[in-house]
Amino acid sequence: MLRRQMMLGLGCAGLAACSTPRATIGADGLPEQQVYRITARDQQEIPFRMLDSVNALRQASSAGPIQLDSQLTAAAATHSRDMAIQNRPWHFGSDGSSPLDRIQRVGYAGGLTGEAISETFETELETLAAWMQEPTTRAVILDPTATRMGLSWFQEDGGKIWWTMVLGN
């Protein structure tokens, strides 16, 4: 009998560990913002999770796969930090640079397909889902001429993340 109760107790504890945490409700009755903190491990995994997700979306739309590109990633990193300094998500740098200027500065020899940017507290996959809801960024991500991708972010101390994805060919 004791063994059965113990097994039942362990089973219930296991199920409780699998449940999703409840969102904290703020004074306005809405869920409070959850901050996604990018860890050192996440920093290594994010580019590959995003690449796999983008390639799955591209395959579903009959577009070819893309590959990570270190030069495009460098251009994306520069822009993510610059957007944080400017405190606004837009495609122009504080020096007036365009996405094309930035990829040329890092020595990328291919062409620019497009750029997707975001100011958020969300994960990379939530950000990708938001980009896919917008026709302009969706067109960039699924552009059949794209063959290369750079992805970077800058996370502020308060948790806000400035995402930049650059696609090229």
Side-chain angles (χ1 to χ4, degrees):
M1 181 74 159
L2 182 58
R3 179 181 274 182
R4 194 175 340 167
Q5 288 175 337
M6 208 159 151
M7 294 301 283
L8 182 61
L10 286 173
C12 289
L15 287 175
C18 293
S19 68
T20 56
R22 292 182 182 213
T24 306
I25 304 299
D28 59 0
L30 298 173
E32 289 184 347
Q33 178 70 52
Q34 298 296 310
V35 177
Y36 169 54
R37 293 281 178 193
I38 298 173
T39 66
R41 182 176 177 180
D42 291 329
Q43 290 177 14
Q44 302 299 317
E45 295 175 359
I46 286 171
F48 299 102
R49 286 195 300 251
M50 184 67 93
L51 179 67
D52 290 345
S53 298
V54 167
N55 277 333
L57 292 166
R58 290 176 60 82
Q59 182 179 14
S61 71
S62 300
I66 57 175
Q67 297 177 349
L68 287 174
D69 185 280
S70 60
Q71 290 175 316
L72 293 178
T73 295
T78 298
H79 193 54
S80 289
R81 181 173 288 277
D82 191 44
M83 285 191 298
I85 291 167
Q86 295 181 71
N87 196 33
R88 64 177 170 185
W90 75 323
H91 294 284
F92 295 96
S94 56
D95 61 357
S97 62
S98 69
L100 184 58
D101 295 330
R102 290 189 292 276
I103 69 167
Q104 289 173 343
R105 285 181 189 165
V106 297
Y108 184 72
L112 175 70
T113 304
E115 180 180 74
I117 58 173
S118 182
E119 167 195 18
T120 186
F121 289 88
E122 297 178 329
T123 69
E124 70 281 0
L125 299 181
E126 290 169 318
T127 300
L128 177 59
W131 285 338
M132 292 300 288
Q133 294 299 314
E134 293 296 322
T136 53
T137 50
R138 181 183 179 87
V140 168
I141 293 166
L142 300 180
D143 187 321
T145 66
T147 58
R148 315 289 284 178
M149 179 184 88
L151 176 74
S152 194
W153 61 90
F154 178 79
Q155 185 164 37
E156 296 177 356
D157 291 340
K160 184 188 293 182
I161 307 170
W162 301 86
W163 294 102
T164 305
M165 177 192 288
V166 181
L167 286 104
N169 52 35

